[in-house]
Amino acid sequence: MNKGIRYLEEGIVKGVGNFGNRPQDFGGDPFGNNGWTLGDDDDDIPEIWDDVFEHLPPREPRQEDYNLVKLNQDQDFANVWHPKNTATKSEYREYYLPFHGTILITTAYSPTYWVKKRGVPDNEIQQHIPRLHQLSDAVWEVWKRITDRPKTLRFVARDEICNPVTGPLIDYLLRRDRNSLEVPWDNRLTFGLDSDEGKALLATPNGIAVAWLLIHRHETLGSRDPRVSIFQVEGHRCMIWELIPEGEKSTFDDYKAGFVSQGVGSYGHRDQTNDFSVPPGWRLVK
């Protein structure tokens, strides 16, 4: 885990060109070329995010409050292995709020996930997914369509996290530091990459897309200092990453309602200040 985290941290700071895994160019129609259908809806943003967005400053002139985009990989597609692949039926669903520089991801079932569910062996999965398959690439392509100032991206949030890896880790941290699973935004926990907790959350299935977004889009976004806040309301596990540009401070530095800074790398009250202890069922790989 430590080697992998160092790899991700180096990519976030220095950019993808330093270790050869360059972002793909998906061409003029990245979605149509890869069997994706774009749709929209007028569903409201979940109310539990109202307290969060209320405290976010504007990043660009207001046009619309938000854009809800649904991406469905529901068309057959070609790749370098096969001239025709069956649609994976995967789905991404996000709210885009350019006024606040925010992407809120509510659903993320990737092509890789669904192809694995079909029983395809790991060493053959790449043959059965489209070139545009990663969540980080998909949301970036939409973000570029919605705003002509993609550099204003500041927050990437995840709602209603149910992943069997990420969920128990969030529960463990909330119980450890808040002694409760009902932890509203005003009492959230925040960790930077200078903490083991922040590194662990970055490496989860719900955090890794943020790492790849910062690595692959380093040329546009520049070096960022990611910090992650976790909270839970009415059973909704939530995570929001603030992508702080180099030389700037956190948006939330002046808004710490109910906060007492204690413990290395944690913004908020902690009942313990020792090193990160491993949640049940986890192990650290040296």
Side-chain angles (χ1 to χ4, degrees):
M1 185 178 81
N2 290 345
K3 182 178 179 181
I5 288 295
R6 285 197 297 271
Y7 176 89
L8 292 173
E9 286 186 290
E10 180 183 359
I12 289 169
V13 172
K14 297 181 180 179
V16 68
N18 289 275
F19 46 90
N21 186 6
R22 295 187 177 277
Q24 297 189 60
D25 179 3
F26 298 105
D29 184 10
F31 299 108
N33 292 343
N34 289 276
W36 290 90
T37 299
L38 273 76
D40 55 22
D41 208 333
D42 57 0
D43 288 357
D44 291 334
I45 293 174
E47 290 183 5
I48 59 173
W49 288 96
D50 289 349
D51 287 343
V52 182
F53 297 141
E54 179 183 350
H55 297 281
L56 299 185
R59 298 288 165 188
E60 63 175 57
R62 183 184 292 275
Q63 296 175 357
E64 296 183 40
D65 287 340
Y66 62 86
N67 301 267
L68 173 57
V69 175
K70 296 186 292 185
L71 295 169
N72 294 98
Q73 207 291 303
D74 55 3
Q75 302 174 50
D76 294 346
F77 62 93
N79 59 22
V80 296
W81 288 277
H82 303 291
K84 185 175 183 180
N85 276 285
T86 303
T88 63
K89 305 301 183 182
S90 50
E91 178 186 12
Y92 295 139
R93 192 171 186 266
E94 314 89 30
Y95 294 90
Y96 294 83
L97 300 92
F99 178 68
H100 292 306
T102 300
I103 300 173
L104 170 59
I105 301 163
T106 60
T107 302
Y109 292 104
S110 71
T112 300
Y113 171 83
W114 284 114
V115 169
K116 279 186 176 182
K117 292 275 283 186
R118 293 178 187 167
V120 175
D122 286 351
N123 63 347
E124 297 179 13
I125 286 176
Q126 204 70 24
Q127 302 177 31
H128 299 278
I129 58 178
R131 287 180 61 228
L132 178 60
H133 63 274
Q134 289 187 329
L135 175 63
S136 57
D137 288 328
V139 298
W140 181 254
E141 292 295 336
V142 176
W143 182 251
K144 288 194 305 180
R145 290 187 176 203
I146 286 176
T147 176
D148 56 3
R149 299 174 62 205
K151 192 173 183 177
T152 58
L153 181 62
R154 182 71 175 238
F155 300 96
V156 178
R158 301 295 299 263
D159 177 61
E160 206 166 0
I161 293 170
C162 57
N163 181 274
V165 174
T166 316
L169 177 58
I170 291 176
D171 290 351
Y172 172 80
L173 293 172
L174 294 179
R175 283 196 184 102
R176 187 195 73 181
D177 291 2
R178 293 290 185 263
N179 198 32
S180 175
L181 289 180
E182 187 71 10
V183 178
W185 168 250
D186 283 358
N187 201 30
R188 65 196 177 276
L189 288 174
T190 300
F191 303 101
L193 292 191
D194 57 347
S195 70
D196 288 332
E197 294 93 333
K199 292 180 175 71
L201 289 164
L202 181 71
T204 64
N206 294 88
I208 198 69
V210 172
W212 286 121
L213 180 65
L214 292 176
I215 290 169
H216 285 160
R217 309 304 164 186
H218 187 273
E219 185 175 343
T220 299
L221 296 174
S223 294
R224 301 292 182 104
D225 175 19
R227 298 185 192 179
V228 60
S229 295
I230 55 174
F231 61 102
Q232 185 166 178
V233 178
E234 297 178 358
H236 282 239
R237 297 189 193 100
C238 300
M239 169 190 292
I240 182 168
W241 290 88
E242 182 177 13
L243 316 178
I244 306 170
E246 191 172 23
E248 294 188 20
K249 68 176 185 177
S250 170
T251 301
F252 302 127
D253 279 354
D254 296 326
Y255 176 67
K256 296 183 179 179
F259 271 46
V260 180
S261 292
Q262 293 182 4
V264 176
S266 176
Y267 300 82
H269 177 72
R270 296 185 58 180
D271 296 326
Q272 53 190 26
T273 57
N274 56 319
D275 291 339
F276 174 53
S277 52
V278 182
W282 284 60
R283 64 187 180 91
L284 289 177
V285 179
K286 302 295 184 184

